[in-house]
Amino acid sequence: MSAAGSLLAAVPAAALVLLTIALRPREVGAVAPLRLGVVRAVLLGGAYAVVVVEVLGASHALTRQAFVAAWLLFLAAAATAAGLRWRRATRLGQPSATESVTVGAEPVTVGAVASGGGSDVSVPLVERSDPEPAPPRAGRGPAGLLATAADTWRTARPGERLLAGTIGGLVLVELLVALLAEPNNFDSQTYHLPKVEHWVAQGDLDFWPTAIHRQVTIPPGAEYLLLHLRLLTGGDQLYNLVQWAAGVVCLLVAARITAQLGGGRRAQLLTAFVLATTPMVVLQATSTQTDLVCAAWVACAATLVLDGLRRRTGWGTLLGLGAATGLTAVTKTSGLIAVGPLLVLWGLAQLRLARAESTAAPGEGRRSGLVGGLARTVGGSVLILVVAAVVVGPFLARVTAEFGHPLGPPRLRESIPMERHDPASIVVNGLRIGHTAFDTPLAPLRRAGADVIISGAEAVGVDPQDRAITFGRERFPEPAWYPDEDRVAFPLAGALAVIGAVIALARPLRVAPERAGSLRAYAGVVVTAALLHTAMIKWQPWGNRLLLYAVVLAVPLAGLWLDALLRERAGGRRSIATVAAVTVLAASALAGVLALSYGFPRRLVGSGSVFTTSDWDTRFLRRPQWADEFRWAATAVQDSGARRIGLAQQNDNWEYPWWLLLRQPDGGSPDLVALQSVLPDRPPAEPSSVDAIVCTGSRAACATLVPAGWRLEFRSYVGYALPPGR
């Protein structure tokens, strides 16, 4: 990556920092205003990024120059907004970074600042177990922020410092891995990253002939963000930062949700700690997968909904909810399983507030107030849907035009969603999903649990391997304890979240006496989303990552319960509870550290370490035997002088290495065309029209596409074919 590329990549980050300043709420009563400013900034920035791609794609202008201009314009607007906000705050004497508010019965400081990157995850919202006076308001500017951070650290207890230090350490080491490691996720090699290269090569978003339908049918929101980095930097060196940033957003928002539900500093730190040490979060934070991005958008929707439980929602928040909904839909439609119930909760809360306001009004004002409140809620709902449609609508329109259905071809609609919805099938599917999510290294426990589920399924007349409730040709059970980014289980975080949800529903006053109603309602939404997920998504070996959005939403319940557990003061129960909580937290920390140190396919130590493995070999840690084969075939094709190259591959083959190896001498995209196509209206190229053919997967499948007289060379997975004379 060039120096110019590095500077250009910093432009979006700088714009988001300025937006956080500009969009931080003005009202003194806001919970964690700095984090709310981050939520607003990332939603606006994410929506802008998607709209830019759609507009420039429709104009056939997906070029570096156009993206640089778009981001410089955005930076200028953000700087202007931040400057105006700063001037207004200075004129009114408003604190620029912190406000003193009350959570529960104790004074707290809102908006403490984190180390390093401008977030406040490492020293979040403050609430001490022992009441103490609210700290003085911080001064304006960076000095004030640093003073607030120093004061927060000084007043923190040793255990809180340990929690914050662990969170910060994990985040920083993940950043290091994200910067050092080359993208090597399996799905990314097959369709996440190739679709970015197709857009760059075409200059637009039109669909293309391909044998890999996921390149065009799976929602591309996360890849849109990668496209910005690709065009700004010219390569994929910073791709992992998208998921890393999404992970940081998840930590910030989960901590804010805890604060909104009545949790103080310790509860928020516990929430962030449990989430930060969850192996799936640790591993995905350095990946080019898309699950953390989806989880971040869902979490943003959740925190905005919680703001609407106690006060009427303004236009800005409505726009934010629309952006969060649209960004979730354009990134991973499974996230809507949670966003839907959240929006229902928001609508009911707004109607309740309208009714309360109308009840307090005198005489005729009651009826008009109720009608006005209903109209405002309906209008707000329509606005949310309109904004969401602006974000996701263009992609859905292309899919509908191509396949006649907004959810894509039948192959996609029938592969992941449940095809049976009778109660027995749903229960069996839920039990299998739970078995995989809570898997441990204890093989006897895994086998015993699986045997019980299989026997129970057969007893109620359900085949546990039924294709209607099982993805593809996979078979239950499948070990999921190993720290692999695609399938690692989360037994500790999951168990804590389940206990927290049960306590929140059954005894919310014990956990959050000042927010019992909000806590119970939120827990109900989380449980509803989990149940809907088991009723709508088939079991699959890598289904744990599809649950990541639910984990992020549920972990605040775990943090609140753990904090309540540590507050127990009845006799010897306190020491027992403390020992139990500390033991669980220590095990969680160990799981997170081991996942970061030895996780696959990016690790700090051992075989495949990011410090000792070459860039090219890092890309192939999933399939190291293929690394030399791709180079061998690409070298032969390049030496032949071929310019137009045909692709022969199957649905789950790696395509991305060809885009790296066959680039033009000037760095331009190679002329790669598919020789097979699963898109009915987009025929593939004729083999006779290309100068060479590169193949992956099956030699027999490749041979059927090679014209007569051509020379075919093939190794175990990769091959190439050249015409006579080349």
Side-chain angles (χ1 to χ4, degrees):
M1 181 173 59
S2 64
S6 301
L7 291 175
L8 291 174
V11 172
L16 290 177
V17 171
L18 292 170
L19 276 180
T20 299
I21 296 172
L23 298 177
R24 186 180 56 81
R26 298 175 181 176
E27 62 269 19
V28 172
V31 176
L34 187 58
R35 276 171 275 177
L36 180 55
V38 172
V39 169
R40 293 172 172 178
V42 296
L43 287 175
L44 178 57
Y48 179 78
V50 170
V51 171
V52 164
V53 171
E54 292 289 357
V55 171
L56 294 180
S59 306
H60 304 282
L62 296 180
T63 64
R64 186 183 196 189
Q65 294 80 3
F67 274 68
V68 169
W71 277 110
L72 290 178
L73 177 65
F74 191 68
L75 178 63
T80 301
L84 292 174
R85 174 65 187 276
W86 189 274
R87 225 173 281 124
R88 176 183 174 84
T90 303
R91 185 171 65 252
L92 298 179
Q94 178 182 347
S96 62
T98 63
E99 291 97 2
S100 177
V101 302
T102 299
V103 174
E106 301 179 6
V108 297
T109 298
V110 180
V113 182
S115 58
S119 66
D120 57 347
V121 67
S122 61
V123 276
L125 185 66
V126 176
E127 180 184 24
R128 293 182 61 88
S129 300
D130 301 320
E132 64 176 25
R137 291 181 175 184
R140 302 181 183 90
L145 299 179
L146 291 175
T148 301
D151 183 70
T152 303
W153 185 262
R154 179 184 58 80
T155 60
R157 292 182 172 182
E160 294 169 343
R161 294 182 181 180
L162 181 60
L163 291 173
T166 303
I167 296 166
L170 285 172
V171 169
L172 290 176
V173 177
E174 288 164 5
L175 174 60
L176 177 65
V177 175
L179 290 171
L180 291 178
E182 302 296 321
N184 60 2
N185 173 262
F186 194 103
D187 284 348
S188 296
Q189 307 287 350
T190 299
Y191 69 96
H192 290 310
L193 305 188
K195 70 170 67 174
V196 175
E197 295 301 324
H198 278 285
W199 294 331
V200 173
Q202 296 176 172
D204 58 40
L205 300 174
D206 290 346
F207 291 162
W208 52 90
T210 178
I212 304 173
H213 77 88
R214 291 174 294 172
Q215 291 183 358
V216 296
T217 58
I218 297 292
E223 291 88 343
Y224 281 174
L225 304 181
L226 296 180
L227 176 62
H228 285 269
L229 289 177
R230 169 69 173 84
L231 289 172
L232 291 176
T233 67
D236 61 9
Q237 294 90 338
L238 301 182
Y239 277 6
N240 293 330
L241 293 186
V242 170
Q243 282 260 109
W244 177 84
V248 172
V249 171
C250 287
L251 294 177
L252 290 171
V253 179
R256 183 172 192 265
I257 289 172
T258 306
Q260 291 172 291
L261 296 174
R265 170 167 66 188
R266 185 173 60 190
Q268 293 171 64
L269 281 171
L270 288 168
T271 294
F273 181 88
V274 172
L275 186 59
T277 55
T278 300
M280 180 65 77
V281 174
V282 171
L283 293 168
Q284 288 235 359
T286 62
S287 170
T288 47
Q289 265 292 6
T290 62
D291 304 285
L292 268 179
V293 177
C294 174
W297 302 137
V298 174
C300 287
T303 195
L304 294 180
V305 164
L306 286 175
D307 279 339
L309 297 188
R310 290 178 169 266
R311 66 172 183 266
R312 300 301 295 272
T313 300
W315 295 111
T317 301
L318 290 173
L319 294 175
L321 284 171
T325 302
L327 288 167
T328 301
V330 81
T331 301
K332 213 174 190 71
T333 51
S334 58
L336 295 177
I337 294 173
V339 173
L342 284 167
L343 292 179
V344 171
L345 175 62
W346 169 84
L348 293 175
Q350 292 295 295
L351 291 175
R352 179 182 60 81
L353 291 172
R355 181 180 179 181
E357 291 173 1
S358 65
T359 302
E364 189 63 28
R366 294 185 180 181
R367 182 174 181 180
S368 61
L370 184 60
V371 172
L374 177 61
R376 182 173 178 176
T377 302
V378 172
S381 302
V382 171
L383 179 60
I384 291 171
L385 296 177
V386 168
V387 174
V390 169
V391 175
V392 72
F395 169 70
L396 293 181
R398 287 194 299 275
V399 173
T400 303
E402 190 73 33
F403 301 105
H405 195 287
L407 298 181
R411 180 177 186 176
L412 178 64
R413 301 198 305 271
E414 296 169 2
S415 61
I416 297 177
M418 286 275 285
E419 297 177 81
R420 289 181 57 177
H421 297 91
D422 56 286
S425 295
I426 293 174
V427 170
V428 171
N429 191 55
L431 290 173
R432 295 183 306 164
I433 290 175
H435 180 274
T436 304
F438 288 85
D439 190 24
T440 69
L442 303 175
L445 181 62
R446 180 190 313 118
R447 288 194 296 268
D451 290 343
V452 170
I453 293 172
I454 291 172
S455 299
E458 293 172 346
V460 297
V462 177
D463 179 2
Q465 314 300 345
D466 186 355
R467 297 303 100 191
I469 62 173
T470 305
F471 180 85
R473 300 179 180 178
E474 306 300 326
R475 294 189 63 82
F476 173 82
E478 183 74 22
W481 65 269
Y482 185 80
D484 184 299
E485 66 175 357
D486 285 336
R487 63 179 66 195
V488 63
F490 34 83
L492 290 175
L496 292 173
V498 169
I499 296 172
V502 171
I503 298 298
L505 291 172
R507 301 182 62 185
L509 288 172
R510 175 187 173 188
V511 177
E514 302 294 329
R515 296 287 188 271
S518 298
L519 176 61
R520 178 175 280 169
Y522 180 78
V525 167
V526 172
V527 172
T528 299
L531 294 176
L532 288 174
H533 187 99
T534 63
M536 299 174 68
I537 305 296
K538 294 177 180 178
W539 176 87
Q540 49 190 285
W542 43 89
N544 287 343
R545 64 181 181 82
L546 302 183
L547 279 168
L548 195 52
Y549 73 89
V551 173
V552 172
L553 291 185
V555 164
L557 303 176
L560 288 164
W561 173 69
L562 284 171
D563 183 60
L565 189 67
L566 293 173
R567 289 201 306 265
E568 291 286 349
R569 297 180 181 274
R573 287 192 300 167
R574 176 174 174 80
S575 59
I576 296 174
T578 300
V579 170
V582 170
T583 301
V584 170
L585 293 174
S588 183
L590 179 62
V593 171
L594 289 177
L596 187 57
S597 301
Y598 296 98
F600 196 73
R602 290 165 304 281
R603 56 177 49 165
L604 291 174
V605 297
S607 175
S609 166
V610 295
F611 296 114
T612 60
T613 308
S614 69
D615 294 349
W616 186 251
D617 289 335
T618 298
R619 296 181 185 275
F620 286 86
L621 285 175
R622 284 285 186 191
R623 298 291 186 272
Q625 67 273 22
W626 295 349
D628 290 337
E629 292 192 16
F630 270 99
R631 273 184 163 167
W632 159 76
T635 300
V637 169
Q638 287 177 321
D639 290 344
S640 73
R643 300 189 62 83
R644 181 176 166 86
I645 303 164
L647 287 172
Q649 55 194 4
Q650 289 79 58
N651 184 57
D652 205 31
N653 290 175
W654 285 21
E655 179 182 314
Y656 186 58
W658 298 126
W659 290 97
L660 298 175
L661 291 167
L662 298 174
R663 281 190 179 178
Q664 302 293 337
D666 61 357
S669 298
D671 186 8
L672 293 176
V673 295
L675 301 182
Q676 307 127 294
S677 179
V678 294
L679 279 65
D681 296 329
R682 298 186 185 272
E686 290 292 333
S688 59
S689 69
V690 301
D691 302 324
I693 297 174
V694 290
C695 311
T696 50
S698 167
R699 177 188 177 100
C702 180
T704 62
L705 297 170
V706 175
W710 284 39
R711 175 170 57 93
L712 172 62
E713 300 286 344
F714 206 95
R715 292 188 176 177
S716 65
Y717 179 77
V718 178
Y720 68 91
L722 296 172
R726 285 189 180 269

